[in-house]
Amino acid sequence: MCGIIGYIGEKNANEITLKGLKKLEYRGYDSFGFANLTSKINIYKDIGKVSQIKNIDLPKSNISIAHTRWATHGGVKKENSHPHQSNNKEIALTHNGIIENYQEIKKELIKNDYFFKSETDSEIIPVYIEYLIKKEKIVFFEALKKTLKKIKGNYAITIIYKNEKKIFFAKKGSPLIIGIGKNENFISSDMNAFLECTNKIICLDDNEYGFIEENSFSIYDLNTNKKKNKKINLIKNDTLKNKEIIKENKKIKNIKTNNNNNNNNNNNEKNNEKNNEKNNEKKIKEIIEKIKNKIDFKQNYNNHYMLKEIFEQANTIDYAINQNIKKITKIINKIKKTNDIFLIGCGTSYNCCLYASYLFREILNKQTTPIIASEFENYLPLITNKSLIIAVSQSGETIDVLEAIKKSKEKKATIFSIVNTNFSTLTRISDENIMMNSGVEICVLSTKSYTSQIAIFLLLIYSLKYNYNNAIKKIKKISNKIPLILENNFEKLKEIADLIKEKNDLFLIGRNSLYPIALEGALKIKEVSYIHAEGFAGGELKHGTIALIENKTPVIILSSKKNRELTLSNAIEIKSRGGYIIGFDYINNEIFDNFIEIPNIDEDNSILMIIPLQILSYFLAINRGCDPDKPRNLAKSVTVI
Ligand code: F6R
């Protein structure tokens, strides 16, 4: 969604904010703009892509704020893009979020002879500040504070004012982070915009406002008006963090083995584990090379994050299960004692919750309720101080998830989160976090983060059923098969995509825990290729969807040992109505018109099913001329309701 970057310091602010906006492109946007400060405020904005811009047509400056806009209030037009200015052009603002009472404030301002250039809710903020400065004869900062008290809704805002060498900011509901540098400071809605320049950050909380200067920052509480002291956090890179966890876990394992006098066995086990990891990494590299040679990789596929991130899953699943043993033990002990478990997420993360709920029931005999975060209100009467909420979110900023968690906290429920983004809002409001360790996911679609979420649930569930070490072994057994899936099916999936690329509809069928996988596969296909794709439970076929099966309608059948007979009977029904059947299983069947072989393992093989579905979506997008990394209308992180 919308992105903000601001810079104040000794360097060229235009260059830094332009670079910053390019880092925010992955979040999705349709227009962009910059404001900088010289003796006056200068504005440059446009619709389209920031990536195409080399320089911005603005005078040199050391203070700049910039924004990528994802249209909500008002269409995709230059006038609606940010920064917005006050009528006297002395104030410029960027805003993420929604001002709910903007119409009422706009009317008041129009009555007082102020005018508006855009259809946005955001423009009322600089205009109202100007109005207060003039009407009440107060200084800018006082007028800002009064404006913040007047507006209702969610916001992350940055403002520059002609007469002060500062970037002012305020936050409520939408993320905003300060980056502390040497003779320079940054502010952004996403720290990726400035992490290249500094790894020292301050996470702003709701109802905080203030300003950054070249060598200092000031943060105030909007409710008390008092200045606040905030902790500066250091961001460590993922490799370093992974190493630290491995070291910590080794210490714990050593203590245990010394007690058991079992040193030799343990050393052998450790060596085997190390060798497996090395072999796996080597194998992945070899396979990627092979695939690159087989297809015209350079020409068409080389530059897409989606494909890169799909490949990375052979490793990211292992990173996801590299968790601190003490923490996992604490979490599973809580799960063991709780009968009141709710799993919350949106989109792909919800599909993961639905999948996990099947496993909680099947493997642990434990009832858990998966909830689409935006529907959480309906479950609120069931939440008590005994409830355990597990929130799942790649970004940790999805507004519906955050709202659900805030409401659960009011009921004193315990909150655990499975998150990818360090220091995101969700990590800061949860009682315990399990980080996915997937690295930044640039493609708008969730791929590696989805399999990491699943791997973490498997870690919790298998640790409870067996023990931590066995859980790790079982999951590694699954992730070790990923190179094979990539190698054996890559070209075949490209061929299937060629065959079905002109179709308007596509269906996916799964039963039991493969039903959520069918939903996730359908989501991937529709969001990236714009083919109407629908996943459904096999048993539901006769209750409606079968009416849509025509000659050559493609239907993907996901089956495995547990549900093969019933799922195949669905396939036969579809085939007899002319459907084109693509089977995903480890056993081929004559009913399949095409077949993707999934390795046969005892453990749940859902992760292995989703990877070829992701690749198929990718090829469908390419074949239909769609940009796989930035699908139309979608944003990486949905921060407004
Ligand atoms: C689909 C996709 C979305 C997200 C959803 C939740 O590929 O990416 O459906 O899964 O917007 O996002 P997070 O996980 O950041 O809460």
Side-chain angles (χ1 to χ4, degrees):
M1 300 232 113
C2 305
I4 291 177
I5 171 76
Y7 174 84
I8 181 164
E10 55 188 11
K11 296 184 191 138
N12 181 341
N14 297 346
E15 272 174 19
I16 291 177
T17 46
L18 176 60
K19 213 167 170 193
L21 276 202
K22 286 184 180 172
K23 294 254 174 213
L24 298 181
E25 279 199 288
Y26 78 101
R27 302 175 68 91
Y29 69 102
D30 38 53
S31 55
F32 62 91
F34 300 80
N36 77 15
L37 185 65
T38 51
S39 55
K40 61 182 181 71
I41 285 176
N42 312 288
I43 302 269
Y44 173 81
K45 41 191 186 178
D46 212 341
I47 50 176
K49 297 281 173 222
V50 186
S51 47
Q52 285 154 6
I53 294 188
K54 295 239 155 45
N55 293 306
I56 39 175
D57 189 15
L58 283 180
K60 227 172 160 196
S61 166
N62 301 105
I63 305 175
S64 167
I65 54 174
H67 189 259
T68 43
R69 174 174 187 256
W70 192 84
T72 55
H73 290 57
V76 183
K77 288 190 211 157
K78 204 165 162 175
E79 306 86 74
N80 289 337
S81 58
H82 299 218
H84 293 290
Q85 281 181 286
S86 53
N87 285 184
N88 63 6
K89 297 192 164 43
E90 291 189 354
I91 302 163
L93 154 135
T94 68
H95 166 223
N96 287 356
I98 287 174
I99 306 302
E100 286 156 11
N101 58 342
Y102 82 101
Q103 282 174 322
E104 163 200 326
I105 300 175
K106 199 168 175 173
K107 272 188 203 146
E108 185 185 339
L109 288 165
I110 290 173
K111 235 198 254 163
N112 283 284
D113 295 331
Y114 285 86
F115 61 87
F116 291 87
K117 288 184 173 170
S118 78
E119 302 151 285
T120 66
D121 52 334
S122 315
E123 194 181 359
I124 59 118
I125 300 174
V127 181
Y128 197 75
I129 296 174
E130 177 189 344
Y131 164 69
L132 285 182
I133 293 175
K134 287 183 181 156
K135 182 175 162 241
E136 300 192 7
K137 307 215 170 354
I138 50 178
V139 294
F140 173 86
F141 199 51
E142 192 58 24
L144 168 65
K145 190 177 76 192
K146 285 198 161 189
T147 304
L148 296 175
K149 294 206 169 176
K150 173 97 176 171
I151 56 179
K152 293 192 184 120
N154 285 332
Y155 51 80
I157 58 181
T158 58
I159 305 183
I160 51 175
Y161 175 48
K162 182 183 159 257
N163 301 326
E164 297 194 46
K165 285 196 170 156
K166 292 171 181 164
I167 297 177
F168 297 89
F169 61 79
K171 176 207 160 7
K172 189 176 162 228
S174 293
L176 203 55
I177 298 161
I178 297 176
I180 310 289
K182 203 170 164 222
N183 300 330
E184 59 185 5
N185 285 317
F186 304 78
I187 186 153
S188 180
S189 51
D190 177 339
M191 63 176 134
N192 287 307
F194 60 68
L195 268 187
E196 224 174 65
C197 307
T198 179
N199 65 346
K200 288 186 194 151
I201 64 154
I202 296 174
C203 299
L204 292 167
D205 289 310
D206 282 354
N207 295 313
E208 287 179 346
Y209 74 110
F211 49 85
I212 52 171
E213 295 171 277
E214 191 169 309
N215 281 307
S216 65
F217 58 87
S218 300
I219 302 169
Y220 297 85
D221 184 319
L222 187 61
N223 297 322
T224 62
N225 297 327
K226 287 201 176 121
K227 201 166 175 182
K228 287 177 93 170
N229 280 326
K230 299 268 299 187
K231 193 175 156 215
I232 299 180
N233 294 296
L234 264 192
I235 302 290
K236 295 180 189 165
N237 76 27
D238 282 342
T239 327
L240 194 70
K241 262 190 314 183
N242 270 324
K243 276 190 187 151
E244 278 177 8
I245 296 172
I246 292 170
K247 218 164 137 191
E248 177 81 7
N249 285 350
K250 267 185 191 159
K251 267 193 228 157
I252 299 169
K253 275 192 189 168
N254 277 342
I255 296 167
K256 277 192 188 153
T257 21
N258 286 344
N259 288 346
N260 292 343
N261 253 345
N262 209 359
N263 262 335
N264 281 345
N265 283 347
N266 197 53
N267 280 341
N268 285 343
E269 209 171 90
K270 265 193 258 172
N271 286 339
N272 284 343
E273 245 175 53
K274 245 190 198 158
N275 287 340
N276 278 346
E277 260 168 44
K278 269 196 189 150
N279 287 341
N280 206 20
E281 268 180 33
K282 206 172 140 212
K283 188 124 197 262
I284 293 160
K285 273 192 194 144
E286 281 168 15
I287 287 163
I288 292 176
E289 278 315 306
K290 261 194 218 165
I291 291 171
K292 278 186 185 175
N293 290 335
K294 275 185 196 167
I295 60 168
D296 197 354
F297 205 86
K298 275 230 163 70
Q299 203 186 334
N300 295 318
Y301 311 111
N302 223 2
N303 294 325
H304 294 133
Y305 282 104
M306 181 174 176
L307 199 56
K308 175 178 176 279
E309 286 161 6
I310 291 174
F311 282 159
E312 278 174 6
Q313 292 173 108
N315 290 323
T316 48
I317 292 173
D318 290 351
Y319 301 155
I321 56 171
N322 181 30
Q323 299 288 342
N324 183 299
I325 301 176
K326 268 193 209 155
K327 187 199 264 189
I328 294 298
T329 311
K330 190 174 153 199
I331 290 172
I332 62 173
N333 282 340
K334 174 74 186 172
I335 293 176
K336 207 193 286 177
K337 284 188 214 136
T338 316
N339 287 318
D340 210 7
I341 304 176
F342 299 86
L343 313 178
I344 300 179
C346 296
T348 290
S349 297
Y350 167 74
N351 287 341
C352 172
C353 293
L354 183 64
Y355 164 78
S357 74
Y358 276 79
L359 263 56
F360 268 105
R361 283 188 295 273
E362 191 186 311
I363 301 180
L364 298 178
N365 215 357
K366 210 176 228 318
Q367 170 58 24
T368 60
T369 311
I371 306 175
I372 296 173
S374 57
E375 293 293 313
F376 184 70
E377 194 79 34
N378 302 293
Y379 295 83
L380 206 52
L382 305 180
I383 308 296
T384 68
N385 59 0
K386 296 202 170 55
S387 307
L388 168 63
I389 311 281
I390 305 183
V392 182
S393 175
Q394 187 285 130
S395 60
E397 299 294 353
T398 302
I399 187 86
D400 287 325
V401 175
L402 297 180
E403 290 295 314
I405 295 309
K406 283 176 193 161
K407 284 174 191 148
S408 308
K409 277 173 82 95
E410 282 165 19
K411 297 258 190 143
K412 309 238 173 327
T414 304
I415 316 290
F416 293 164
S417 290
I418 298 178
V419 198
N420 195 33
T421 310
N422 290 319
F423 294 100
S424 54
T425 308
L426 186 58
T427 63
R428 287 182 280 129
I429 60 177
S430 301
D431 297 304
E432 200 66 74
N433 297 301
I434 311 178
M435 301 310 295
M436 296 177 202
N437 308 325
S438 317
V440 188
E441 194 175 57
I442 301 280
C443 174
V444 165
L445 275 79
S446 303
T447 53
K448 60 177 179 175
S449 64
Y450 174 69
T451 47
S452 294
Q453 293 164 356
I454 289 193
I456 289 170
F457 272 121
L458 288 177
L459 179 68
L460 299 177
I461 291 166
Y462 287 156
S463 295
L464 265 169
K465 174 79 179 176
Y466 312 104
N467 59 44
Y468 178 84
N469 287 340
N470 274 337
I472 297 281
K473 271 187 207 151
K474 280 180 179 296
I475 302 165
K476 291 218 164 169
K477 212 166 128 191
I478 306 172
S479 67
N480 281 343
K481 299 281 180 207
I482 293 179
L484 197 72
I485 298 243
L486 291 170
E487 187 177 3
N488 292 352
N489 296 306
F490 201 76
E491 279 179 292
K492 186 84 158 292
L493 289 159
K494 187 172 180 280
E495 279 162 29
I496 296 177
D498 279 340
L499 269 173
I500 62 175
K501 68 178 181 215
E502 305 292 349
K503 299 287 173 192
N504 294 324
D505 304 294
L506 193 154
F507 299 95
L508 294 94
I509 297 182
R511 285 175 181 258
N512 316 108
S513 58
L514 290 179
Y515 164 53
I517 303 298
L519 293 182
E520 175 57 12
L523 181 60
K524 288 289 91 83
I525 290 169
K526 72 178 121 184
E527 62 187 338
V528 76
S529 72
Y530 318 142
I531 293 176
H532 163 237
E534 210 178 307
F536 58 97
E540 283 291 281
L541 179 68
K542 292 203 214 45
H543 298 285
T545 315
I546 200 160
L548 297 173
I549 306 296
E550 293 174 353
N551 196 27
K552 297 270 180 282
T553 304
V555 181
I556 295 175
I557 300 283
L558 308 176
S559 60
S560 67
K561 192 158 66 190
K562 200 167 44 189
N563 49 45
R564 188 171 294 119
E565 257 177 46
L566 282 173
T567 316
L568 285 182
S569 95
N570 290 141
I572 293 167
E573 283 162 349
I574 292 164
K575 183 105 182 186
S576 58
R577 280 154 187 88
Y580 179 80
I581 312 288
I582 306 157
F584 279 47
D585 199 332
Y586 58 85
I587 299 176
N588 201 345
N589 191 290
E590 58 186 19
I591 194 85
F592 298 152
D593 295 295
N594 230 315
F595 175 58
I596 294 298
E597 188 178 347
I598 306 296
N600 177 13
I601 49 169
D602 292 336
E603 288 70 19
D604 189 276
N605 63 358
S606 308
I607 290 186
L608 301 178
M609 289 268 184
I610 196 65
I611 288 170
L613 288 171
Q614 294 169 344
I615 296 173
L616 180 66
S617 327
Y618 173 77
F619 282 128
L620 284 171
I622 296 289
N623 284 349
R624 289 165 65 91
C626 311
D627 179 347
D629 287 342
K630 298 186 191 83
R632 70 181 177 209
N633 304 338
L634 294 183
K636 183 70 191 161
S637 165
V638 182
T639 51
V640 286
I641 287 178

